[in-house]
Amino acid sequence: TIDLFKWKSFRLPKTIYRKMGKHQALGLFVDNEIHIDSSLKGKKEMEIHLHELSHYARPDFTEDEVRELSRKFTDYLWREGYRKADNED
C-alpha cells in the first residue's frame, strides 16, 4: 500500500506503449513501469491503465480484487465523461 503522506518519495510509474501479444496480456506492471498494449483505445485502454495502476497502489490485492476495482473505477470515470485527449492537461 502506498503511504500518500510520504508524498516526496511518491513516484508514479512510467507508462510504455507497445505490442503485448507475446505476453498474452493487455498490460503489465513491472519495475515501476506500466506497459500498455499500443492497440488499445477508448474504455478498454482506460480500464487497463487503472488495472495496472491498481497493482502499483495495492500490491496486496489479489488479481480478482484488482480486476473488480479497476472495472468499477473505469465505469465511474467513463460515465462521468472522462476520455483521453491528446496534448491537453
Side-chain angles (χ1 to χ4, degrees):
T1 303
I2 298 170
D3 184 350
L4 295 177
F5 294 104
K6 295 180 181 178
W7 62 272
K8 288 184 179 181
S9 64
F10 182 72
R11 269 194 20 213
L12 288 173
K14 178 180 178 181
T15 302
I16 299 171
Y17 294 91
R18 64 189 184 95
K19 295 290 184 187
M20 299 290 295
K22 72 178 182 178
H23 296 285
Q24 296 183 341
L26 298 176
L28 290 172
F29 173 69
V30 62
D31 297 329
N32 207 42
E33 294 178 342
I34 291 177
H35 297 252
I36 302 289
D37 190 297
S38 56
S39 68
L40 292 175
K41 303 290 181 229
K43 189 175 181 182
K44 187 52 127 180
E45 181 184 0
M46 180 188 289
E47 179 185 333
I48 300 304
H49 274 281
L50 291 169
H51 180 99
E52 301 308 332
L53 194 58
S54 296
H55 279 301
Y56 166 71
R58 294 304 307 256
D60 57 314
F61 273 22
T62 66
E63 186 65 23
D64 286 341
E65 290 170 322
V66 165
R67 189 176 301 115
E68 183 177 346
L69 179 65
S70 62
R71 285 180 180 164
K72 285 182 179 184
F73 282 172
T74 300
D75 287 344
Y76 170 79
L77 290 170
W78 199 260
R79 185 182 71 230
E80 293 300 313
Y82 284 88
R83 304 293 187 271
K84 185 176 184 176
D86 293 333
N87 302 319
E88 292 186 23
D89 289 340

